[in-house]
Amino acid sequence: PESASMPDPSCNALPLHLHCMAGAYIKRYYEPSEDGMRTKMEMLVKANPNAVSCRFLGRTPLHLALDAGKTWYEVKGLTSANRRLLRKRDPTTKLYPFQMAAMKRDLTIDDKARLAFKARNEYPDDKWQSLKSKSKLNALKKVQREEDIEQLQTIFEFLRRFPNAVRGG
């Protein structure tokens, strides 16, 4: 817990900042569901609640997390700790959090590899190896659909908590 308040000596980022910028962990098929469990983000926030408002490279942890493509499930601990973050525009993009969540990015090679690993990890090794190419492609499309739904859920949750973000001036 004390280490959650100690900046990384190489870049001066807090553990929360580093976690927010990291890519998503890809769970294997045999790992238990995380339903009802606290996320890593929530554990870091609980260990150092002040870190939620600390900026790194001029950005809050929420902005860093959204820029890294994290979903509502992953960032809700940040917004629960500091609801004012919902009203803060990202200094880099000038966007509200819901707008950052809505940004559709072209898939990079890393994104494509992550999706492929995610689809593959839904199956035991021997079962994946025996799947036909069409079945593997369907598994990949399913993972992409699930991620699209998570993105919509993230946008919805931000707007639900800060509807004034879309109010006309």
Side-chain angles (χ1 to χ4, degrees), residues 88-105:
K88 299 233 184 253
R89 290 180 185 262
D90 175 45
T92 303
T93 64
K94 309 295 187 238
L95 300 175
Y96 284 114
F98 88 91
Q99 293 169 315
M100 290 183 73
M103 288 176 27
K104 193 68 170 175
R105 299 171 179 91

Side-chain angles (χ1 to χ4, degrees), residues 134-167:
K134 186 174 181 175
S135 296
K136 289 179 181 180
L137 183 59
N138 286 339
L140 189 58
K141 286 180 181 178
K142 179 181 177 246
V143 167
Q144 181 64 56
R145 267 192 318 275
E146 289 168 355
E147 288 206 352
D148 288 345
I149 291 169
E150 286 178 17
Q151 182 183 21
L152 284 173
Q153 181 70 28
T154 301
I155 298 163
F156 170 77
E157 294 296 343
F158 277 121
L159 288 173
R160 195 175 106 178
R161 284 159 178 78
F162 183 42
N164 289 344
V166 292
R167 198 175 256 174

Side-chain angles (χ1 to χ4, degrees), residues 16-168:
L16 181 61
H17 295 125
L18 297 173
H19 178 69
C20 288
M21 293 185 296
Y25 173 73
I26 301 171
K27 188 173 71 162
R28 294 297 305 254
Y29 72 93
Y30 52 79
E31 292 182 270
S33 171
E34 295 177 354
D35 292 341
M37 294 175 59
R38 260 198 321 229
T39 65
K40 292 171 197 73
M41 188 90 70
E42 289 169 328
M43 289 188 268
L44 285 167
V45 169
K46 184 176 182 191
N48 184 8
N50 294 330
V52 172
S53 300
C54 293
R55 293 180 181 266
F56 177 67
L57 302 174
R59 301 170 101 183
T60 68
L62 178 62
H63 297 131
L64 294 169
L66 291 171
D67 192 47
K70 297 212 185 303
T71 64
W72 178 253
Y73 174 75
E74 297 166 296
V75 301
K76 66 182 174 183
L78 294 171
T79 61
S80 296
N82 185 347
R83 292 187 55 88
R84 288 187 311 231
L85 292 175
L86 298 170
R87 294 174 171 79
K88 299 233 184 253
R89 290 180 185 262
D90 175 45
T92 303
T93 64
K94 309 295 187 238
L95 300 175
Y96 284 114
F98 88 91
Q99 293 169 315
M100 290 183 73
M103 288 176 27
K104 193 68 170 175
R105 299 171 179 91
D106 291 331
L107 291 178
T108 64
I109 299 253
D110 289 341
D111 291 330
K112 291 175 184 176
R114 181 182 49 75
L115 288 172
F117 281 125
K118 206 170 176 182
R120 186 254 168 271
N121 286 345
E122 295 288 318
Y123 299 90
D125 290 336
D126 56 334
K127 175 131 174 139
W128 180 257
Q129 297 300 330
S130 67
L131 285 178
K132 295 188 182 328
S133 294
K134 186 174 181 175
S135 296
K136 289 179 181 180
L137 183 59
N138 286 339
L140 189 58
K141 286 180 181 178
K142 179 181 177 246
V143 167
Q144 181 64 56
R145 267 192 318 275
E146 289 168 355
E147 288 206 352
D148 288 345
I149 291 169
E150 286 178 17
Q151 182 183 21
L152 284 173
Q153 181 70 28
T154 301
I155 298 163
F156 170 77
E157 294 296 343
F158 277 121
L159 288 173
R160 195 175 106 178
R161 284 159 178 78
F162 183 42
N164 289 344
V166 292
R167 198 175 256 174

